[in-house]
Every structure is written in structure tokens, then in C-alpha cells.
Amino acid sequence: MAEEDFYTLLNVTRTSSITEIKQSYKKLARQYHPDNKDTGNEELFKKLSEAYTVLTDEQKRAYYDRVGHEAFTKGGSASYGSAYQSSEIFDDLQGVFDSFFGPGFGGGGFGRRQSKNRKERGSDIQVVLELDFMEAAFGGTKKAVVNKLTNCAECNGIGADPSVGTKTCTTCQGNGEVRKVTQSFLGVITQVSPCPTCNGRGTVNPVPCKACKGNGQLRTSDELEVKVPKGAEHGSRLVWSGKGNDGKNGGPAGDLYLLLKVKPHPKLKRQGLDIFEELDVTVWQAILGDELESETIHGKQNVTLKAGTQPSTVIKLNSLGIQMDNGKSGNHHIKINVVVPNKKDIPKNLLDSIQQEIGAEDKSGMSAFANFFRRSKPAGE
């Protein structure tokens, strides 16, 4: 199979999609994998793998198309040259092989060995942090209780009794992995998997640690002080690096995700940096106007209701919404709801007076109607 460029190697064209490239590579990889005793070719397989890693990465593919095959593979790129020489590429390709052929495929020269006692990053934790409406608006310090897995101090996370220590696993002879050789249409296939006895560690604990019962970790509770930023929104998350579960074998701890749950306010609602409020007023207040009191997050504010205000009118109080440290601020919006009284709640003599006034001919029109309401406004309104 002559090598001209990566496209030729994979039997695809420059217009082929990534899906087509993956399908072609899968077919060729089966044919030329070193474990295939009939058609295996390790050198060609490495070149196919290099071509695959480049042509399935949009940035690398674009660079390859721009500089050409020779410049790409002979030091023409400080960023992408000789891809198959990178251990990271081998790790990526092993993931591809795991998805194509199953975990552990390719143990005969290409497969990635399980590293015994390898460092393992701790898992992440998510905790719900409840805030009231004002805490979310103004931020501040909040305490959060976090239950997490912490490495056992008694055995340093090993899980073995400190006075006895660990022993070499007899199943894998300390390798941390076991191999299974099978015959298939591809030839001899070696499948590598973590040792089921020691879970890939290469060692076993003859006597478990009494403190952690051999688990190597204990579940502990920790109270943390969390700085909540101004304007924190319901459903948003804060990330605290390294505050998740402890890692194993010296691995880093996971991260802590704080999911913010903001309790609703009995009167106010929020959208972005804006605050919304609804105020009920009587017909008399809407017609004649009045002085109202609004409850903003910054305190009570006097608001003038103009005479003749219509239902659903919105009054805006500038910059009285959420105020951020960067100078941005929202507004406070007041929606006016005009409450119309039921007919049965209005005295009969007042209804008769209204009907007479409406029926009377008056050139002054609405002014006379307004004067009527001033004269007949119920006590306390």
C-alpha cells in the first residue's frame, strides 16, 4: 500500500466527512492491526493511526491541508508534527479502539497497559445551596455542609492494616492486569483487562484497615464558607476546584459544584437584573391618582400614581433592581392592577347617583364625572 498522503492511506478523499474517515479507518485497522497474524503490519498500522488522528481533528486537518503532507510529517509544524509519536495520541486511539472493538483490544503491541497503582482523580460532588431572594440579590457568605470521601488517615488511603501492609496479587503477579488470548477471523486477539482480584492495583490487602474497613476512604462531613456573588441566579452553579472527593493513590481531588436554589419572594419576581412587583389599586385611586408605597429590594419607595392610570400600566424605577459590582444595574418595575368592585359591594344609593350622573348631559364631560367620584369616594379609600 503506497504512502502518498493521509487521505490515500485511509482510502478517502479531501471531501470525505469525518464519519466516512472513521468508517474507513475501522476497516483498515482490523486488517493491518499487529494482532492479525495474516495481514497485520505494525508500521503501516501506526501510519494509519497517525492519519486518523489528524484527519478527524478539524484544526489538525485544516493545517495539514494548508501545509501539505511533507511539511506536516517532516518537522514543518511545531504543533502537530509526527502525531503517532505522542503518548497522548496513543491514549486517544485506545479510546477509539475501545469503542470500535471493546475494552482491552490490541494488547499485542499497540494496546495501552493498565498502570498499577495509577493516580486516580477523585469524583466531583454536587451540593444544593439554598438562598433566600435577598441573599441571591446582594451576595455574601453562606455556609454549606459537604459530605465527601476523604482518604483514610490511618492507612494513608491504601486500605490495608498499617502493621501488615499490602501483598502482591497472585492472580496478576503484581501487573494489575490479566490477558485473555482468543482466536478469531482477525487472527489471534489479545484482550487486556484490569485484574478482577486486585482491581488493577497489583496488590491486595491481607488484613483490611480497621478504620476504613479496607476501603481506603471514609465518608466525612465538612462545613465550608461559600462566597455567593451578587446577582446569583436560580439554577446557576458555583465551582470550587479541589473540594470534591479525595483522589486515590495520590491523585487530585475532584471539584465541588454548588447548585444554587433561590427561594421565591412573596411579592417580588426577578428576570435578569430587573425586579418586578404588582400593586393593586382601587378604581378611585386609578381615576383620581394617589401616593403609593413600593417594596423594592433596596427598601420602601414612594411612588406617584397619576390620575387616569389605566389597568396594567407599568411604572419603572430606574436602577432600583439588582446592582452589580461592575456598575451594571437593573430596574424595578411596578405593574398596576386596578381592582373593580363588585356591584353588590357598592351601596344602592351610590349606584343610583352614578347612573344619574352618567345619564346627565354635561358639557364638561369627564371632569364632571371625576368631580362626582371626589364627592362620593367611600370613606377610607
Side-chain angles (χ1 to χ4, degrees):
M1 185 177 184
E3 176 184 343
E4 295 181 10
D5 60 16
F6 287 161
Y7 292 101
T8 302
L9 275 169
L10 294 180
N11 290 338
V12 294
T13 67
R14 291 183 177 273
T15 59
S16 295
S17 66
I18 291 180
T19 299
E20 291 171 334
I21 292 172
K22 288 182 177 181
Q23 290 174 345
S24 182
Y25 172 74
K26 179 179 178 181
K27 180 180 178 181
L28 293 170
R30 286 183 180 275
Q31 182 178 357
Y32 294 108
H33 192 279
D35 284 345
N36 190 327
K37 66 177 183 179
D38 295 325
T39 58
N41 185 324
E42 185 172 352
E43 289 302 315
L44 179 55
F45 179 78
K46 286 183 178 181
K47 294 176 182 180
L48 290 169
S49 300
E50 180 188 13
Y52 174 85
T53 61
V54 172
L55 298 187
T56 54
D57 184 294
E58 291 185 358
Q59 291 183 344
K60 292 179 182 179
R61 184 177 181 180
Y63 185 86
Y64 177 81
D65 290 343
R66 188 165 64 251
V67 303
H69 180 76
E70 184 175 355
F72 190 93
T73 57
K74 292 187 178 180
S77 168
S79 301
Y80 298 127
S82 197
Y84 64 80
Q85 294 178 6
S86 168
S87 61
E88 294 181 0
I89 296 302
F90 276 112
D91 289 344
D92 292 342
L93 286 172
Q94 184 62 47
V96 174
F97 265 79
D98 288 348
S99 64
F100 280 168
F101 313 123
F105 179 85
F110 179 75
R112 179 183 56 196
R113 290 174 57 89
Q114 292 287 337
S115 174
K116 64 179 181 179
N117 294 326
R118 67 189 182 279
K119 294 181 179 180
E120 294 183 21
R121 179 183 181 275
S123 57
D124 297 332
I125 300 174
Q126 178 168 285
V127 174
V128 176
L129 185 63
E130 289 195 347
L131 307 171
D132 65 34
F133 195 86
M134 293 301 181
E135 286 177 324
F138 291 98
T141 302
K142 186 80 173 178
K143 291 185 178 180
V145 177
V146 179
N147 296 316
K148 57 181 290 187
L149 292 175
T150 306
N151 289 332
C152 177
E154 187 72 20
C155 65
N156 292 321
I158 297 175
D161 188 309
S163 63
V164 179
T166 61
K167 302 293 183 183
T168 300
C169 176
T170 56
T171 301
C172 64
Q173 304 302 316
N175 292 320
E177 61 188 22
V178 292
R179 294 168 176 261
K180 181 180 179 181
V181 180
T182 58
Q183 182 73 37
S184 72
F185 70 94
L186 288 176
V188 178
I189 301 297
T190 303
Q191 187 169 6
V192 183
S193 60
C195 176
T197 303
C198 64
N199 294 320
R201 294 176 61 89
T203 58
V204 294
N205 302 329
V207 181
C209 172
K210 294 180 180 179
C212 64
K213 298 180 180 180
N215 295 318
Q217 292 186 321
L218 297 170
R219 187 163 291 280
T220 60
S221 182
D222 194 9
E223 187 176 75
L224 302 176
E225 284 195 351
V226 181
K227 185 176 181 181
V228 179
K230 286 184 179 180
E233 295 194 65
H234 178 79
S236 60
R237 294 198 304 178
L238 305 178
V239 183
W240 198 335
S241 297
K243 290 297 182 180
N245 291 321
D246 280 354
K248 294 183 179 181
N249 302 322
D255 297 332
L256 172 62
Y257 290 84
L258 298 163
L259 179 63
L260 303 185
K261 182 179 180 181
V262 181
K263 299 176 183 177
H265 191 278
K267 294 182 179 179
L268 306 178
K269 292 184 179 180
R270 175 184 171 184
Q271 184 175 336
L273 300 181
D274 291 338
I275 303 296
F276 295 84
E277 177 188 15
E278 293 191 18
L279 288 180
D280 292 342
V281 300
T282 65
V283 173
W284 328 109
Q285 289 174 298
I287 293 174
L288 304 176
D290 203 352
E291 291 296 321
L292 308 177
E293 189 175 73
S294 170
E295 182 180 347
T296 75
I297 61 174
H298 303 285
K300 294 182 178 180
Q301 298 286 328
N302 292 326
V303 179
T304 299
L305 184 70
K306 295 181 180 180
T309 297
Q310 300 299 307
S312 298
T313 294
V314 176
I315 301 172
K316 183 171 69 173
L317 305 180
N318 292 325
S319 301
L320 287 183
I322 294 176
Q323 299 174 352
M324 305 294 285
D325 290 332
N326 60 8
K328 292 184 178 180
S329 63
N331 303 315
H332 186 96
H333 304 267
I334 306 169
K335 180 183 177 182
I336 301 299
N337 297 324
V338 179
V339 181
V340 179
N342 293 322
K343 185 176 180 180
K344 64 180 181 179
D345 297 328
I346 302 176
K348 186 176 183 305
N349 61 339
L350 181 56
L351 283 175
D352 293 340
S353 298
I354 292 174
Q355 291 173 350
Q356 291 176 8
E357 189 73 19
I358 292 175
E361 293 183 2
D362 195 313
K363 293 182 180 180
S364 58
M366 201 60 183
S367 295
F369 192 55
N371 289 331
F372 164 77
F373 279 112
R374 288 193 179 92
R375 295 195 308 271
S376 59
K377 184 177 181 181
E381 292 285 354

